mmCIF file of all heavy atoms in Angstrom:
data_model
loop_
_atom_site.group_PDB
_atom_site.id
_atom_site.type_symbol
_atom_site.label_atom_id
_atom_site.label_comp_id
_atom_site.label_asym_id
_atom_site.label_seq_id
_atom_site.Cartn_x
_atom_site.Cartn_y
_atom_site.Cartn_z
ATOM 1 N N MET H 257 -12.414 141.399 -64.034
ATOM 2 C CA MET H 257 -12.267 141.935 -65.392
ATOM 3 C C MET H 257 -13.624 142.256 -65.987
ATOM 4 O O MET H 257 -13.836 143.289 -66.593
ATOM 5 C CB MET H 257 -11.535 140.903 -66.268
ATOM 6 C CG MET H 257 -11.119 141.427 -67.616
ATOM 7 S SD MET H 257 -9.790 142.646 -67.422
ATOM 8 C CE MET H 257 -9.443 143.006 -69.121
ATOM 9 N N LEU H 258 -14.577 141.338 -65.809
ATOM 10 C CA LEU H 258 -15.927 141.557 -66.309
ATOM 11 C C LEU H 258 -16.543 142.778 -65.656
ATOM 12 O O LEU H 258 -17.170 143.613 -66.294
ATOM 13 C CB LEU H 258 -16.785 140.310 -66.061
ATOM 14 C CG LEU H 258 -18.237 140.402 -66.534
ATOM 15 C CD1 LEU H 258 -18.284 140.607 -68.037
ATOM 16 C CD2 LEU H 258 -18.985 139.135 -66.139
ATOM 17 N N PHE H 259 -16.348 142.938 -64.326
ATOM 18 C CA PHE H 259 -16.892 144.066 -63.582
ATOM 19 C C PHE H 259 -16.325 145.372 -64.137
ATOM 20 O O PHE H 259 -17.045 146.351 -64.344
ATOM 21 C CB PHE H 259 -16.544 143.913 -62.098
ATOM 22 C CG PHE H 259 -16.960 145.115 -61.282
ATOM 23 C CD1 PHE H 259 -18.275 145.240 -60.860
ATOM 24 C CD2 PHE H 259 -16.045 146.095 -60.941
ATOM 25 C CE1 PHE H 259 -18.664 146.330 -60.109
ATOM 26 C CE2 PHE H 259 -16.432 147.186 -60.186
ATOM 27 C CZ PHE H 259 -17.749 147.307 -59.767
ATOM 28 N N THR H 260 -15.026 145.371 -64.415
ATOM 29 C CA THR H 260 -14.384 146.567 -64.936
ATOM 30 C C THR H 260 -14.947 146.951 -66.293
ATOM 31 O O THR H 260 -15.184 148.132 -66.580
ATOM 32 C CB THR H 260 -12.866 146.340 -65.046
ATOM 33 O OG1 THR H 260 -12.365 145.969 -63.765
ATOM 34 C CG2 THR H 260 -12.161 147.599 -65.538
ATOM 35 N N SER H 261 -15.203 145.973 -67.149
ATOM 36 C CA SER H 261 -15.689 146.272 -68.496
ATOM 37 C C SER H 261 -17.122 146.796 -68.477
ATOM 38 O O SER H 261 -17.527 147.524 -69.372
ATOM 39 C CB SER H 261 -15.603 145.011 -69.377
ATOM 40 O OG SER H 261 -16.475 144.025 -68.875
ATOM 41 N N LEU H 262 -17.916 146.430 -67.462
ATOM 42 C CA LEU H 262 -19.299 146.861 -67.390
ATOM 43 C C LEU H 262 -19.466 148.206 -66.689
ATOM 44 O O LEU H 262 -20.474 148.876 -66.850
ATOM 45 C CB LEU H 262 -20.149 145.816 -66.651
ATOM 46 C CG LEU H 262 -20.405 144.513 -67.380
ATOM 47 C CD1 LEU H 262 -21.178 143.578 -66.473
ATOM 48 C CD2 LEU H 262 -21.179 144.747 -68.673
ATOM 49 N N ARG H 263 -18.468 148.629 -65.941
ATOM 50 C CA ARG H 263 -18.598 149.811 -65.106
ATOM 51 C C ARG H 263 -18.915 151.088 -65.899
ATOM 52 O O ARG H 263 -19.820 151.834 -65.536
ATOM 53 C CB ARG H 263 -17.335 150.002 -64.282
ATOM 54 C CG ARG H 263 -17.479 151.091 -63.233
ATOM 55 C CD ARG H 263 -16.235 151.192 -62.396
ATOM 56 N NE ARG H 263 -16.341 152.246 -61.420
ATOM 57 C CZ ARG H 263 -15.365 152.623 -60.624
ATOM 58 N NH1 ARG H 263 -14.193 152.006 -60.706
ATOM 59 N NH2 ARG H 263 -15.531 153.593 -59.760
ATOM 60 N N PRO H 264 -18.217 151.359 -67.020
ATOM 61 C CA PRO H 264 -18.545 152.563 -67.783
ATOM 62 C C PRO H 264 -19.981 152.571 -68.272
ATOM 63 O O PRO H 264 -20.654 153.600 -68.281
ATOM 64 C CB PRO H 264 -17.555 152.535 -68.950
ATOM 65 C CG PRO H 264 -16.420 151.693 -68.450
ATOM 66 C CD PRO H 264 -17.053 150.662 -67.592
ATOM 67 N N LEU H 265 -20.490 151.391 -68.686
ATOM 68 C CA LEU H 265 -21.861 151.301 -69.157
ATOM 69 C C LEU H 265 -22.835 151.600 -68.035
ATOM 70 O O LEU H 265 -23.834 152.292 -68.217
ATOM 71 C CB LEU H 265 -22.111 149.901 -69.734
ATOM 72 C CG LEU H 265 -23.530 149.646 -70.267
ATOM 73 C CD1 LEU H 265 -23.843 150.623 -71.399
ATOM 74 C CD2 LEU H 265 -23.656 148.210 -70.755
ATOM 75 N N SER H 266 -22.546 151.101 -66.822
ATOM 76 C CA SER H 266 -23.425 151.345 -65.686
ATOM 77 C C SER H 266 -23.469 152.824 -65.347
ATOM 78 O O SER H 266 -24.530 153.390 -65.062
ATOM 79 C CB SER H 266 -22.941 150.550 -64.466
ATOM 80 O OG SER H 266 -22.941 149.178 -64.746
ATOM 81 N N ILE H 267 -22.308 153.484 -65.374
ATOM 82 C CA ILE H 267 -22.262 154.919 -65.083
ATOM 83 C C ILE H 267 -23.070 155.693 -66.114
ATOM 84 O O ILE H 267 -23.811 156.608 -65.794
ATOM 85 C CB ILE H 267 -20.808 155.407 -65.052
ATOM 86 C CG1 ILE H 267 -20.074 154.784 -63.858
ATOM 87 C CG2 ILE H 267 -20.746 156.930 -64.989
ATOM 88 C CD1 ILE H 267 -18.597 155.101 -63.825
ATOM 89 N N LEU H 268 -22.914 155.286 -67.398
ATOM 90 C CA LEU H 268 -23.656 155.949 -68.456
ATOM 91 C C LEU H 268 -25.154 155.777 -68.260
ATOM 92 O O LEU H 268 -25.934 156.724 -68.412
ATOM 93 C CB LEU H 268 -23.228 155.385 -69.810
ATOM 94 C CG LEU H 268 -23.972 155.945 -71.037
ATOM 95 C CD1 LEU H 268 -23.740 157.449 -71.137
ATOM 96 C CD2 LEU H 268 -23.514 155.236 -72.299
ATOM 97 N N THR H 269 -25.568 154.557 -67.886
ATOM 98 C CA THR H 269 -26.991 154.295 -67.674
ATOM 99 C C THR H 269 -27.545 155.157 -66.559
ATOM 100 O O THR H 269 -28.621 155.747 -66.672
ATOM 101 C CB THR H 269 -27.210 152.805 -67.346
ATOM 102 O OG1 THR H 269 -26.707 152.024 -68.420
ATOM 103 C CG2 THR H 269 -28.681 152.516 -67.142
ATOM 104 N N VAL H 270 -26.790 155.227 -65.443
ATOM 105 C CA VAL H 270 -27.229 156.047 -64.315
ATOM 106 C C VAL H 270 -27.303 157.512 -64.721
ATOM 107 O O VAL H 270 -28.263 158.223 -64.371
ATOM 108 C CB VAL H 270 -26.274 155.869 -63.116
ATOM 109 C CG1 VAL H 270 -26.601 156.880 -62.028
ATOM 110 C CG2 VAL H 270 -26.384 154.453 -62.565
ATOM 111 N N SER H 271 -26.324 157.981 -65.479
ATOM 112 C CA SER H 271 -26.299 159.381 -65.892
ATOM 113 C C SER H 271 -27.500 159.716 -66.760
ATOM 114 O O SER H 271 -28.140 160.748 -66.591
ATOM 115 C CB SER H 271 -25.011 159.687 -66.665
ATOM 116 O OG SER H 271 -23.883 159.474 -65.846
ATOM 117 N N VAL H 272 -27.811 158.823 -67.711
ATOM 118 C CA VAL H 272 -28.960 159.052 -68.582
ATOM 119 C C VAL H 272 -30.254 159.066 -67.774
ATOM 120 O O VAL H 272 -31.143 159.884 -67.989
ATOM 121 C CB VAL H 272 -29.017 157.978 -69.689
ATOM 122 C CG1 VAL H 272 -30.338 158.064 -70.445
ATOM 123 C CG2 VAL H 272 -27.843 158.144 -70.636
ATOM 124 N N THR H 273 -30.355 158.144 -66.816
ATOM 125 C CA THR H 273 -31.553 158.081 -65.973
ATOM 126 C C THR H 273 -31.736 159.356 -65.170
ATOM 127 O O THR H 273 -32.836 159.912 -65.081
ATOM 128 C CB THR H 273 -31.462 156.881 -65.018
ATOM 129 O OG1 THR H 273 -31.330 155.696 -65.790
ATOM 130 C CG2 THR H 273 -32.713 156.789 -64.152
ATOM 131 N N LEU H 274 -30.640 159.848 -64.581
ATOM 132 C CA LEU H 274 -30.716 161.077 -63.788
ATOM 133 C C LEU H 274 -31.052 162.265 -64.666
ATOM 134 O O LEU H 274 -31.816 163.139 -64.261
ATOM 135 C CB LEU H 274 -29.384 161.316 -63.067
ATOM 136 C CG LEU H 274 -29.062 160.345 -61.929
ATOM 137 C CD1 LEU H 274 -27.653 160.628 -61.386
ATOM 138 C CD2 LEU H 274 -30.092 160.450 -60.805
ATOM 139 N N LEU H 275 -30.483 162.291 -65.872
ATOM 140 C CA LEU H 275 -30.764 163.386 -66.774
ATOM 141 C C LEU H 275 -32.234 163.397 -67.168
ATOM 142 O O LEU H 275 -32.884 164.441 -67.187
ATOM 143 C CB LEU H 275 -29.885 163.268 -68.019
ATOM 144 C CG LEU H 275 -30.071 164.368 -69.103
ATOM 145 C CD1 LEU H 275 -29.733 165.722 -68.505
ATOM 146 C CD2 LEU H 275 -29.207 164.073 -70.320
ATOM 147 N N ALA H 276 -32.765 162.220 -67.437
ATOM 148 C CA ALA H 276 -34.179 162.127 -67.805
ATOM 149 C C ALA H 276 -35.065 162.567 -66.656
ATOM 150 O O ALA H 276 -36.071 163.253 -66.845
ATOM 151 C CB ALA H 276 -34.518 160.688 -68.220
ATOM 152 N N ALA H 277 -34.691 162.170 -65.442
ATOM 153 C CA ALA H 277 -35.474 162.576 -64.272
ATOM 154 C C ALA H 277 -35.419 164.075 -64.081
ATOM 155 O O ALA H 277 -36.426 164.716 -63.748
ATOM 156 C CB ALA H 277 -34.938 161.866 -63.022
ATOM 157 N N GLY H 278 -34.248 164.658 -64.313
ATOM 158 C CA GLY H 278 -34.114 166.106 -64.180
ATOM 159 C C GLY H 278 -34.964 166.836 -65.198
ATOM 160 O O GLY H 278 -35.610 167.836 -64.888
ATOM 161 N N CYS H 279 -34.998 166.355 -66.429
ATOM 162 C CA CYS H 279 -35.790 166.992 -67.479
ATOM 163 C C CYS H 279 -37.277 166.956 -67.162
ATOM 164 O O CYS H 279 -38.034 167.835 -67.555
ATOM 165 C CB CYS H 279 -35.546 166.310 -68.825
ATOM 166 S SG CYS H 279 -33.878 166.629 -69.482
ATOM 167 N N ALA H 280 -37.699 165.918 -66.440
ATOM 168 C CA ALA H 280 -39.112 165.800 -66.101
ATOM 169 C C ALA H 280 -39.580 166.937 -65.209
ATOM 170 O O ALA H 280 -40.763 167.267 -65.159
ATOM 171 C CB ALA H 280 -39.374 164.454 -65.414
ATOM 172 N N TRP H 281 -38.639 167.581 -64.498
ATOM 173 C CA TRP H 281 -38.997 168.671 -63.604
ATOM 174 C C TRP H 281 -39.013 170.008 -64.321
ATOM 175 O O TRP H 281 -39.480 171.001 -63.762
ATOM 176 C CB TRP H 281 -38.013 168.712 -62.431
ATOM 177 C CG TRP H 281 -38.217 167.581 -61.471
ATOM 178 C CD1 TRP H 281 -37.520 166.407 -61.420
ATOM 179 C CD2 TRP H 281 -39.192 167.489 -60.441
ATOM 180 N NE1 TRP H 281 -38.000 165.597 -60.430
ATOM 181 C CE2 TRP H 281 -39.023 166.238 -59.798
ATOM 182 C CE3 TRP H 281 -40.193 168.350 -59.991
ATOM 183 C CZ2 TRP H 281 -39.822 165.828 -58.737
ATOM 184 C CZ3 TRP H 281 -40.995 167.935 -58.929
ATOM 185 C CH2 TRP H 281 -40.800 166.688 -58.324
ATOM 186 N N LEU H 282 -38.483 170.063 -65.539
ATOM 187 C CA LEU H 282 -38.460 171.320 -66.265
ATOM 188 C C LEU H 282 -39.843 171.623 -66.829
ATOM 189 O O LEU H 282 -40.514 170.727 -67.344
ATOM 190 C CB LEU H 282 -37.444 171.246 -67.406
ATOM 191 C CG LEU H 282 -35.976 171.087 -66.996
ATOM 192 C CD1 LEU H 282 -35.109 170.926 -68.233
ATOM 193 C CD2 LEU H 282 -35.511 172.273 -66.161
ATOM 194 N N PRO H 283 -40.301 172.892 -66.758
ATOM 195 C CA PRO H 283 -41.603 173.217 -67.332
ATOM 196 C C PRO H 283 -41.563 173.104 -68.847
ATOM 197 O O PRO H 283 -40.497 173.255 -69.464
ATOM 198 C CB PRO H 283 -41.820 174.668 -66.887
ATOM 199 C CG PRO H 283 -40.450 175.205 -66.643
ATOM 200 C CD PRO H 283 -39.650 174.043 -66.137
ATOM 201 N N PRO H 284 -42.693 172.834 -69.485
ATOM 202 C CA PRO H 284 -42.714 172.752 -70.942
ATOM 203 C C PRO H 284 -42.302 174.076 -71.564
ATOM 204 O O PRO H 284 -42.369 175.132 -70.940
ATOM 205 C CB PRO H 284 -44.191 172.442 -71.247
ATOM 206 C CG PRO H 284 -44.744 171.889 -69.978
ATOM 207 C CD PRO H 284 -43.993 172.569 -68.873
ATOM 208 N N ALA H 285 -41.882 174.023 -72.804
ATOM 209 C CA ALA H 285 -41.486 175.230 -73.517
ATOM 210 C C ALA H 285 -42.657 176.193 -73.619
ATOM 211 O O ALA H 285 -43.825 175.789 -73.563
ATOM 212 C CB ALA H 285 -40.986 174.866 -74.908
ATOM 213 N N ALA H 286 -42.334 177.470 -73.798
ATOM 214 C CA ALA H 286 -43.365 178.505 -73.827
ATOM 215 C C ALA H 286 -44.357 178.306 -74.963
ATOM 216 O O ALA H 286 -45.505 178.738 -74.874
ATOM 217 C CB ALA H 286 -42.714 179.879 -73.933
ATOM 218 N N ASP H 287 -43.891 177.651 -76.034
ATOM 219 C CA ASP H 287 -44.775 177.431 -77.176
ATOM 220 C C ASP H 287 -45.353 176.013 -77.201
ATOM 221 O O ASP H 287 -45.921 175.593 -78.219
ATOM 222 C CB ASP H 287 -44.041 177.722 -78.482
ATOM 223 C CG ASP H 287 -42.802 176.842 -78.667
ATOM 224 O OD1 ASP H 287 -42.420 176.156 -77.705
ATOM 225 O OD2 ASP H 287 -42.227 176.865 -79.771
ATOM 226 N N ALA H 288 -45.229 175.297 -76.100
ATOM 227 C CA ALA H 288 -45.786 173.938 -76.021
ATOM 228 C C ALA H 288 -47.302 174.007 -76.075
ATOM 229 O O ALA H 288 -47.903 175.024 -75.691
ATOM 230 C CB ALA H 288 -45.328 173.256 -74.743
ATOM 231 N N PRO H 289 -47.961 172.945 -76.532
ATOM 232 C CA PRO H 289 -49.428 172.933 -76.525
ATOM 233 C C PRO H 289 -49.971 173.215 -75.135
ATOM 234 O O PRO H 289 -49.363 172.834 -74.127
ATOM 235 C CB PRO H 289 -49.764 171.513 -76.995
ATOM 236 C CG PRO H 289 -48.568 171.072 -77.771
ATOM 237 C CD PRO H 289 -47.393 171.715 -77.101
ATOM 238 N N VAL H 290 -51.113 173.881 -75.081
ATOM 239 C CA VAL H 290 -51.702 174.239 -73.791
ATOM 240 C C VAL H 290 -51.936 173.000 -72.930
ATOM 241 O O VAL H 290 -51.690 173.015 -71.723
ATOM 242 C CB VAL H 290 -53.022 175.011 -74.004
ATOM 243 C CG1 VAL H 290 -53.773 175.192 -72.675
ATOM 244 C CG2 VAL H 290 -52.743 176.367 -74.634
ATOM 245 N N ALA H 291 -52.387 171.915 -73.540
ATOM 246 C CA ALA H 291 -52.657 170.693 -72.779
ATOM 247 C C ALA H 291 -51.403 170.200 -72.064
ATOM 248 O O ALA H 291 -51.469 169.741 -70.919
ATOM 249 C CB ALA H 291 -53.204 169.602 -73.702
ATOM 250 N N LYS H 292 -50.264 170.307 -72.720
ATOM 251 C CA LYS H 292 -49.004 169.871 -72.107
ATOM 252 C C LYS H 292 -48.623 170.798 -70.964
ATOM 253 O O LYS H 292 -48.151 170.364 -69.903
ATOM 254 C CB LYS H 292 -47.895 169.833 -73.160
ATOM 255 C CG LYS H 292 -46.572 169.277 -72.642
ATOM 256 C CD LYS H 292 -45.555 169.120 -73.763
ATOM 257 C CE LYS H 292 -44.257 168.514 -73.258
ATOM 258 N NZ LYS H 292 -43.268 168.341 -74.363
ATOM 259 N N ARG H 293 -48.833 172.099 -71.143
ATOM 260 C CA ARG H 293 -48.507 173.052 -70.086
ATOM 261 C C ARG H 293 -49.424 172.868 -68.880
ATOM 262 O O ARG H 293 -48.993 172.979 -67.735
ATOM 263 C CB ARG H 293 -48.593 174.488 -70.624
ATOM 264 C CG ARG H 293 -47.417 174.870 -71.504
ATOM 265 C CD ARG H 293 -47.512 176.320 -71.953
ATOM 266 N NE ARG H 293 -48.290 176.467 -73.168
ATOM 267 C CZ ARG H 293 -48.690 177.630 -73.659
ATOM 268 N NH1 ARG H 293 -48.405 178.757 -73.014
ATOM 269 N NH2 ARG H 293 -49.350 177.694 -74.794
ATOM 270 N N VAL H 294 -50.678 172.579 -69.147
ATOM 271 C CA VAL H 294 -51.624 172.342 -68.048
ATOM 272 C C VAL H 294 -51.235 171.087 -67.288
ATOM 273 O O VAL H 294 -51.222 171.071 -66.052
ATOM 274 C CB VAL H 294 -53.064 172.230 -68.591
ATOM 275 C CG1 VAL H 294 -54.015 171.734 -67.495
ATOM 276 C CG2 VAL H 294 -53.543 173.579 -69.124
ATOM 277 N N ALA H 295 -50.899 170.025 -68.003
ATOM 278 C CA ALA H 295 -50.528 168.761 -67.358
ATOM 279 C C ALA H 295 -49.345 168.944 -66.423
ATOM 280 O O ALA H 295 -49.272 168.305 -65.365
ATOM 281 C CB ALA H 295 -50.219 167.706 -68.413
ATOM 282 N N ALA H 296 -48.426 169.846 -66.786
ATOM 283 C CA ALA H 296 -47.241 170.072 -65.957
ATOM 284 C C ALA H 296 -47.573 170.785 -64.651
ATOM 285 O O ALA H 296 -46.763 170.780 -63.724
ATOM 286 C CB ALA H 296 -46.212 170.888 -66.734
ATOM 287 N N LEU H 297 -48.755 171.385 -64.563
ATOM 288 C CA LEU H 297 -49.159 172.114 -63.355
ATOM 289 C C LEU H 297 -49.918 171.233 -62.367
ATOM 290 O O LEU H 297 -50.142 171.630 -61.225
ATOM 291 C CB LEU H 297 -50.047 173.304 -63.739
ATOM 292 C CG LEU H 297 -49.439 174.331 -64.698
ATOM 293 C CD1 LEU H 297 -50.481 175.387 -65.055
ATOM 294 C CD2 LEU H 297 -48.202 174.977 -64.105
#
């Protein structure tokens, strides 16, 4: 029962983690500060 109640939270945590990791690969916005755009390269 405890495992079942925690499962949705675990899935949500994994999803948020994957989403954050995916965003890290996106280039900065076109109007981002130059320093941020350089760091991404």
Side-chain angles (χ1 to χ4, degrees):
M257 190 69 177
L258 180 62
F259 174 81
T260 303
S261 65
L262 289 176
R263 189 177 178 185
L265 180 60
S266 300
I267 293 174
L268 177 61
T269 302
V270 171
S271 298
V272 170
T273 301
L274 290 175
L275 180 61
C279 290
W281 288 98
L282 295 176
D287 59 350
V290 171
K292 185 174 182 179
R293 285 183 273 170
V294 170
L297 302 176

